[in-house]
Amino acid sequence: MAIRKPKGTQDFLPEQIGNWHFIEQYMRDICKTYGFNEIRTPVFEDTKLFLRGIGETTDVVQKEMYTFSTGDHTDQTFTLRPENTASAVRAYLENKVYGKEGLTKWFYIGPMFRHDKPQAGRYRQFHQFGAEVLGSQSPVVDSEVICMILQLLRSFGLQDLNVEVNSVGCPNCRPAYREKLIAFFEPKKEQLCPDCQERLYKNPLRILDCKNETCKDLSVGAPEIHEHLCTECHDHFEEVKTLLDAANVQYNLNPRLVRGLDYYTKTAFEVQYTPLGAQSAVAGGGRYDGLVEQLEGPSTPAIGFAMGMERLLLALEKQNLLPEPAVDPSVFVVALGDAAKVEAFKIVQSVREHYIPCEMDGQGKSMKAQLKYANKINAKYVIILGDDELANGEAIVRFMETSEQETVPLSTISEHITSLVKG
Ligand code: AMP
């Protein structure tokens, strides 16, 4: 039986790659505008990084990690990265970046791996564009990353964007809220889904964003975090909102948007593209003021987000916002006979020296078939070299759009073509 690609993964063939380059270019441009520099970290890390950096009670860690051992260290396992924040923080600490820079602004683009149930917009290998700001607790950076995401998505022409924001408090104010939530859900424990029954004491905030319909119904009337924020978290959130208002960002307050772990603090947000339906979350992020310390670094406030690139492409495709593939003015050299083939090869190479796309036959085609192929690849100019032309030290240049032809000395053919293409 033929070997197939693993479930939940995709092949991207040349006709799709232009779309990836297109979105990646916009991402790099927006990051430059907002002062983010690119990082690249390994696609696999010590499993412990994700246990501590994402949290042992999360679905990602409990159910979705690709973990393996290499056999040479019996007790060490590695995991394909399910996200990039933990790796970024590890790189920040390992390279002692905190000692060198006041504020660190990084972005990344790359594949992530989660053993999730594949469906439209949900893959086992998918790609994220994300950014992290390390070293600032100012609400300015919270608002800035939200503005950056929106500017990027809008620059593609996407509308119908929904921004949801929340504050999840901090280790000062969350414990009291947590107790209230436990007290609220405890009498309904038996009705909660098995996952939420487990979350009840470990991570009760996560019950609020459970997708199970019964859990959703059971959480109606649950205490809201906004009423339990400490002054610092309250003021921080107010300022984030003031800044978003100042930048004309429309957002919805969503008290159910949670990240239940201790090192997630204050702002949490999600950007949805509603026409995508069930998988409408295009980007999500938030503050993680406690994570650097959790990974044994100096106390460093931080915020980040990640955007799903496949979801973005789905959205752009849905709205017909992907560009037509660009056709370069290209050159094809038609050669007949062995001697002409050698001369053609010389011409092809010297035209390519000018970074002009240029091809010749590599399959022993007839002259008619070579011309047909030149047409198919949209060659703008065709150079024809037969034995007669070769004997006269000449070549024919055909302008494919008009079928006009001219004779050019072989000695100047590549300069001639270069000036025709480059104008
Ligand atoms: P998260 O890291 O879970 O906060 O996800 C950030 C973004 O990555 C989401 O909003 C999605 O757009 C995207 N994403 C997460 N998981 C997947 C997946 N399995 N397949 C495709 N995109 C995903």
Side-chain angles (χ1 to χ4, degrees):
M1 196 182 89
I3 298 169
R4 318 284 297 227
K5 64 183 179 319
K7 211 169 151 191
T9 65
Q10 297 187 92
D11 295 317
F12 299 111
L13 299 180
E15 50 272 30
Q16 288 142 294
I17 292 298
N19 294 336
W20 286 85
H21 289 174
F22 168 71
I23 60 169
E24 286 167 16
Q25 189 57 48
Y26 272 56
M27 287 160 179
R28 294 202 154 85
D29 288 349
I30 199 83
C31 284
K32 204 167 171 191
T33 309
Y34 281 76
F36 287 83
N37 295 310
E38 183 167 355
I39 53 158
R40 296 185 192 192
T41 59
V43 292
F44 65 97
E45 298 268 4
D46 190 322
T47 304
K48 289 198 279 296
L49 176 67
F50 302 119
L51 298 183
R52 280 200 269 157
I54 301 176
E56 298 196 35
T57 61
T58 56
D59 286 352
V60 167
V61 165
Q62 283 191 340
K63 304 179 193 161
E64 298 171 7
M65 295 211 300
Y66 283 95
T67 297
F68 57 95
S69 61
T70 52
D72 49 3
H73 294 283
T74 45
D75 58 344
Q76 188 176 24
T77 65
F78 297 99
T79 293
L80 295 180
R81 61 181 185 196
E83 52 102 69
N84 214 160
T85 302
S87 308
V89 172
R90 189 221 16 89
Y92 178 78
L93 293 175
E94 194 164 341
N95 296 287
K96 296 194 169 52
V97 181
Y98 52 87
K100 299 173 200 156
E101 299 177 359
L103 184 68
T104 299
K105 294 170 88 173
W106 281 348
F107 79 94
Y108 58 83
I109 292 175
M112 309 296 155
F113 307 85
R114 294 185 196 172
H115 192 266
D116 211 346
K117 202 166 159 232
Q119 50 189 285
R122 186 168 287 281
Y123 307 96
R124 290 184 172 168
Q125 175 174 334
F126 60 100
H127 296 76
Q128 284 184 337
F129 156 60
E132 317 288 345
V133 185
L134 295 124
S136 170
Q137 51 188 328
S138 167
V140 167
V141 295
D142 304 42
S143 315
E144 181 178 80
V145 291
I146 296 173
C147 287
M148 176 163 116
I149 297 171
L150 287 174
Q151 188 176 338
L152 174 68
L153 295 176
R154 290 208 183 108
S155 67
F156 290 119
L158 284 179
Q159 286 148 4
D160 298 323
L161 296 165
N162 180 32
V163 184
E164 311 243 298
V165 292
N166 192 23
S167 173
V168 296
C170 71
N172 289 331
C173 52
R174 204 164 32 220
Y177 174 63
R178 210 184 113 96
E179 290 309 315
K180 288 234 162 93
L181 271 185
I182 295 176
F184 176 83
F185 284 112
E186 227 165 14
K188 314 169 181 205
K189 184 176 173 190
E190 301 307 319
Q191 294 153 264
L192 290 168
C193 73
D195 283 345
C196 283
Q197 293 195 13
E198 241 187 73
R199 287 170 183 148
L200 181 58
Y201 299 105
K202 286 189 193 155
N203 200 347
L205 274 78
R206 287 293 316 280
I207 302 175
L208 297 175
D209 74 349
C210 181
K211 303 288 177 271
N212 180 297
E213 289 303 324
T214 315
C215 298
K216 274 189 193 168
D217 289 346
L218 291 173
S219 62
V220 172
E224 290 198 359
I225 184 121
H226 296 145
E227 291 144 25
H228 299 85
L229 294 179
C230 60
T231 313
E232 192 191 316
C233 288
H234 173 269
D235 292 352
H236 184 96
F237 195 42
E238 288 304 307
E239 211 176 321
V240 170
K241 290 189 282 181
T242 304
L243 292 166
L244 291 177
D245 291 337
N248 279 325
V249 173
Q250 310 233 316
Y251 52 86
N252 297 313
L253 297 180
N254 179 358
R256 285 165 185 270
L257 187 65
V258 294
R259 310 187 140 221
L261 300 165
D262 282 351
Y263 41 82
Y264 290 119
T265 51
K266 297 177 178 154
T267 317
F269 60 88
E270 193 166 280
V271 179
Q272 299 154 351
Y273 179 67
T274 30
L276 281 185
Q279 309 300 329
S280 66
V282 174
R287 252 192 189 277
Y288 50 91
D289 288 348
L291 179 57
V292 183
E293 244 179 323
Q294 174 85 17
L295 295 174
E296 289 163 32
S299 168
T300 308
I303 184 164
F305 75 85
M307 179 179 291
M309 296 173 75
E310 283 81 357
R311 297 230 183 132
L312 171 62
L313 285 169
L314 280 175
L316 295 178
E317 204 180 318
K318 215 177 169 73
Q319 300 296 21
N320 249 328
L321 293 169
L322 290 168
E324 287 295 316
V327 181
D328 284 320
S330 54
V331 181
F332 192 91
V333 185
V334 171
L336 282 182
D338 286 344
K341 199 156 66 183
V342 173
E343 197 57 41
F345 189 72
K346 270 164 60 182
I347 297 171
V348 169
Q349 284 309 114
S350 70
V351 171
R352 284 174 174 165
E353 286 289 322
H354 299 279
Y355 289 90
I356 293 169
C358 185
E359 296 291 332
M360 68 182 280
D361 172 53
Q363 297 174 301
K365 287 193 179 102
S366 68
M367 181 170 173
K368 202 173 151 204
Q370 288 185 41
L371 276 167
K372 205 169 152 195
Y373 182 71
N375 214 9
K376 188 177 150 206
I377 64 164
N378 275 323
K380 207 165 166 191
Y381 307 100
V382 171
I383 300 172
I384 301 168
L385 266 183
D387 286 338
D388 288 353
E389 286 80 24
L390 207 58
N392 294 336
E394 290 171 347
I396 295 169
V397 175
R398 179 185 290 196
F399 298 78
M400 295 300 273
E401 272 166 26
T402 59
S403 294
E404 281 170 41
Q405 297 196 159
E406 63 182 15
T407 304
V408 179
L410 271 183
S411 55
T412 58
I413 185 79
S414 81
E415 289 75 16
H416 185 75
I417 280 289
T418 304
S419 65
L420 279 177
V421 173
K422 298 211 161 170

